[in-house]
C-alpha cells in the first residue's frame, strides 16, 4: 500500500471510529507511522505560520519605526531588511509600506543632507540600489503605486538628487587641499556615468574661475591631485599651471613663487623670472627676491632677463666674486652665466679673467711645490732607513 493510500485509509478509519485514535490504532497499528508523520507536518506548518506571523509583525513594526532612525547607516540597514523580507511577508506588509513610502523616502534624504559630497555619493548610490530592490520585490503584490514609486526614486536619486548635490558642491567649494579627496570621489563616480563629462566639464569650469596666479590654496590643491585618482581634472589643471609659468606676461604672486622654490621645483621659477616681459611686475619681484637668499641661480635668473629694470646687478656680481675669490668653480659659474659679461663690461670681465688665471697658476705652483716637498720628505725617510740598515750590519 502506498503512502497516500495509507493516509486515505487512516482518515477513513478515523471517521468510522468517530475520531477515536485508540480505536484506529487497535484496528491498524501500522497507521501509527502515518499519525506521527501527520503530526510532524502539522507541527512544522504551525511553526512556519507562527514564525512567519512573528516576522510579519516585526516587519510592520520596522516600517513604522524606520522614520525614527537617527543616522543613515541605521536607516539603510532597516530599509535593506524591508526590501529583502518584503516578498516573503505578504500583502499586508506591502500595503503598509505603500502608505509609508513618501515619509521613508524623505527621511532618507534628510539623513543624507549634511554629508560631505564623498559621503553623499556613497549614500545616494546605496539608497538608489535599495529602492530598486524594493520596486522589484514588490511586483508580486501587483501594487503598481508602490513598485512605480520606488523604481522612479531609484533613478531620481542619482540622476536628479545626486547630480544637484555635486553641482552645489563645486559651485560653493573653495578648492583647497581638503577638497582633493572630495574631487577624486566625483571623478571616480563620473567614470560609471554614460556621459562622464556632464559632471567633469562643469567642475573644471568652476575651478577655472579662481585665480591660479594668486591663490596659493588653489595651487596646493592642484599639486596634490594625482593622475590615477583625478584623471582628466589632473591633466587639465596641471596643463594650466604649466602654461602659467611659461607665459611671459603672466603675473604669478610672490607667495606662489616662494612656495614653488621651497618645494623643489626651482627651475620653473628660474625660467619664469628670466623670461618675464612685464617690466613693472619684474621690478616688484626683484625687490622681493633678488639678493634675499643664498639661491645664486635665482639671482642669475633676474640678470638673464632682457627686460630693463632698476637693479644692482653689477654690484651683486662684484660682491659675489670678492667674497668667494678663492672658489674658482663658483666664480667661473657666475662669469659664464647669461648676460653677466654684458652687466660687468668687457674691461672688468677681462681683469677678472686675468686674476683668475693668475690665481690658477699660483694654485698650480703651490701644488707643485707641495708635491716636491712631499717627495723630498719621502726621500729623506728612505735615506734614514737605509743608513740605519747599514749601521746594523
Amino acid at each position: 500500500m502506498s503512502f497516500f493510500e495509507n493516509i486515505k485509509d487512516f482518515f477513513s478509519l478515523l471517521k468510522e471510529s468517530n475520531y477515536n485514535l485508540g480505536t484506529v490504532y487497535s484496528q491498524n497499528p501500522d497507521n501509527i507511522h502515518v499519525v506521527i508523520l501527520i503530526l510532524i507536518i502539522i507541527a512544522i506548518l504551525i511553526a512556519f505560520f507562527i514564525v512567519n506571523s512573528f516576522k510579519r509583525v516585526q516587519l510592520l513594526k520596522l516600517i513604522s519605526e524606520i522614520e525614527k532612525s537617527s543616522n543613515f547607516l541605521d536607516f539603510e540597514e532597516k530599509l535593506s531588511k524591508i526590501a529583502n523580507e518584503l516578498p516573503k511577508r505578504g500583502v499586508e506588509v506591502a500595503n503598509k509600506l505603500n502608505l509609508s513610502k513618501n515619509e521613508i523616502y524623505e527621511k532618507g534624504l534628510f539623513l543624507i543632507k549634511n554629508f560631505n559630497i564623498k559621503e553623499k555619493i556613497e549614500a545616494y548610490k546605496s539608497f538608489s540600489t535599495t529602492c530598486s530592490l524594493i520596486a522589484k520585490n514588490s511586483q508580486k503584490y501587483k501594487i503598481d503605486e508602490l513598485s512605480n514609486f520606488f523604481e522612479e526614486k531609484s533613478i531620481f536619486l542619482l540622476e536628479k538628487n545626486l547630480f544637484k548635490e555635486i553641482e552645489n558642491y563645486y559651485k560653493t567649494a573653495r578648492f583647497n587641499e581638503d577638497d582633493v579627496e572630495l574631487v577624486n570621489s566625483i571623478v571616480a563616480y563620473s567614470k560609471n556615468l554614460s556621459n562622464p563629462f556632464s559632471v567633469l566639464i562643469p567642475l573644471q569650469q568652476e575651478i577655472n574661475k579662481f585665480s591660479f596666479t594668486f591663490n596659493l590654496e588653489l595651487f596646493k590643491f592642484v599639486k596634490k591631485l594625482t593622475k590615477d585618482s583625478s584623471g582628466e581634472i589632473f591633466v587639465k589643471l596641471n596643463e594650466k599651471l604649466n602654461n602659467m609659468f611659461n607665459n611671459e606676461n603672466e603675473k604669478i604672486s610672490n607667495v606662489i613663487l616662494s612656495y614653488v622654490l621651497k618645494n623643489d621645483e626651482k627651475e620653473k621659477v628660474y625660467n619664469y623670472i628670466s623670461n618675464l616681459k612685464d617690466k613693472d611686475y619684474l621690478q616688484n619681484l626683484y625687490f622681493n627676491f633678488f639678493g634675499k637668499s643664498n639661491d645664486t641661480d635665482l639671482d642669475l635668473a633676474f640678470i638673464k632677463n632682457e627686460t630693463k629694470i632698476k637693479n644692482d646687478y653689477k654690484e651683486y656680481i662684484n660682491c659675489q666674486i670678492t667674497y668667494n675669490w678663492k672658489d674658482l668653480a663658483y666664480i667661473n659659474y657666475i662669469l659664464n652665466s647669461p648676460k653677466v659679461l654684458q652687466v660687468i663690461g668687457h674691461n672688468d670681465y677681462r681683469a677678472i679673467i686675468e686674476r683668475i688665471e693668475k690665481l690658477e697658476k699660483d694654485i698650480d705652483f703651490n701644488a707643485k711645490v707641495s708635491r716636491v716637498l712631499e717627495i723630498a720628505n719621502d726621500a729623506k725617510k728612505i735615506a734614514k732607513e737605509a743608513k740605519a740598515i747599514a749601521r746594523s750590519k
Side-chain angles (χ1 to χ4, degrees), residues 66-320:
I66 191 171
E67 295 175 48
K68 299 177 183 178
S69 300
S70 59
N71 58 74
F72 184 75
L73 179 60
D74 178 53
F75 171 84
E76 183 61 17
E77 287 178 353
K78 290 177 179 176
L79 192 63
S80 294
K81 185 173 182 179
I82 291 170
N84 288 310
E85 293 285 323
L86 181 60
K88 300 180 282 187
R89 304 301 166 217
V91 70
E92 182 183 1
V93 172
N95 284 326
K96 173 68 175 177
L97 182 59
N98 188 40
L99 292 173
S100 305
K101 61 184 183 298
N102 287 300
E103 291 77 8
I104 291 173
Y105 179 73
E106 292 300 325
K107 181 65 177 182
L109 295 180
F110 175 79
L111 293 172
I112 293 173
K113 71 175 185 177
N114 292 323
F115 287 177
N116 64 40
I117 192 60
K118 180 180 179 181
E119 295 167 334
K120 283 180 178 178
I121 288 172
E122 295 306 313
Y124 275 113
K125 286 165 60 179
S126 177
F127 196 7
S128 173
T129 299
T130 307
C131 285
S132 180
L133 182 60
I134 291 175
K136 177 183 175 183
N137 287 348
S138 63
Q139 289 176 356
K140 64 177 290 186
Y141 300 115
K142 307 299 182 183
I143 306 175
D144 291 340
E145 183 183 354
L146 175 64
S147 300
N148 292 340
F149 176 86
F150 280 100
E151 182 61 34
E152 289 175 359
K153 295 306 181 186
S154 71
I155 297 171
F156 288 172
L157 280 168
L158 300 181
E159 294 186 0
K160 293 186 179 297
N161 297 73
L162 181 54
F163 189 87
K164 187 65 177 177
E165 294 282 8
I166 292 173
E167 184 180 52
N168 289 338
Y169 163 74
Y170 60 63
K171 284 189 174 181
T172 57
R174 304 308 301 169
F175 297 109
N176 53 42
E177 289 181 282
D178 294 334
D179 286 288
V180 170
E181 186 179 1
L182 305 181
V183 168
N184 286 345
S185 69
I186 294 175
V187 172
Y189 173 68
S190 72
K191 291 178 181 178
N192 297 317
L193 300 177
S194 58
N195 180 16
F197 295 104
S198 64
V199 170
L200 296 180
I201 289 178
L203 172 60
Q204 175 75 51
Q205 290 172 341
E206 287 299 321
I207 297 174
N208 286 344
K209 290 179 180 179
F210 289 83
S211 171
F212 283 74
T213 55
F214 281 84
N215 191 329
L216 179 59
E217 292 305 310
L218 178 65
F219 187 88
K220 291 179 180 179
F221 161 79
V222 176
K223 299 307 292 183
K224 197 173 179 180
L225 298 174
T226 63
K227 179 67 180 299
D228 289 342
S229 299
S230 314
E232 191 69 14
I233 297 296
F234 167 88
V235 173
K236 293 295 184 183
L237 294 184
N238 276 276
E239 182 180 307
K240 193 172 180 69
L241 287 189
N242 290 332
N243 290 339
M244 179 178 81
F245 276 94
N246 292 326
N247 189 330
E248 296 177 345
N249 296 297
E250 194 70 81
K251 297 178 182 179
I252 303 176
S253 118
N254 56 4
V255 176
I256 291 178
L257 294 176
S258 296
Y259 177 81
V260 176
L261 286 169
K262 291 177 182 178
N263 286 273
D264 297 324
E265 291 187 284
K266 295 182 179 182
E267 285 298 328
K268 281 187 175 182
V269 179
Y270 302 156
N271 291 333
Y272 167 72
I273 288 175
S274 64
N275 292 297
L276 183 62
K277 299 300 183 186
D278 189 299
K279 178 180 178 180
D280 293 334
Y281 199 63
L282 181 62
Q283 187 75 68
N284 177 275
L285 293 179
Y286 170 84
F287 289 135
N288 279 284
F289 288 103
F290 187 79
K292 299 293 193 300
S293 67
N294 294 323
D295 190 341
T296 304
D297 289 313
L298 177 62
D299 297 330
L300 291 174
F302 281 98
I303 296 173
K304 181 180 178 182
N305 194 302
E306 297 288 343
T307 305
K308 304 297 183 183
I309 60 173
K310 295 179 181 178
N311 65 76
D312 294 318
Y313 293 157
K314 185 171 183 177
E315 182 181 350
Y316 168 84
I317 294 170
N318 287 334
C319 287
Q320 294 300 310

Side-chain angles (χ1 to χ4, degrees), residues 320-321 323-333 359 363:
Q320 294 300 310
I321 292 173
Y323 295 144
N324 300 280
W325 182 246
K326 292 187 178 181
D327 189 344
L328 296 182
Y330 179 73
I331 294 175
N332 276 315
Y333 181 72
L359 184 59
I363 291 173

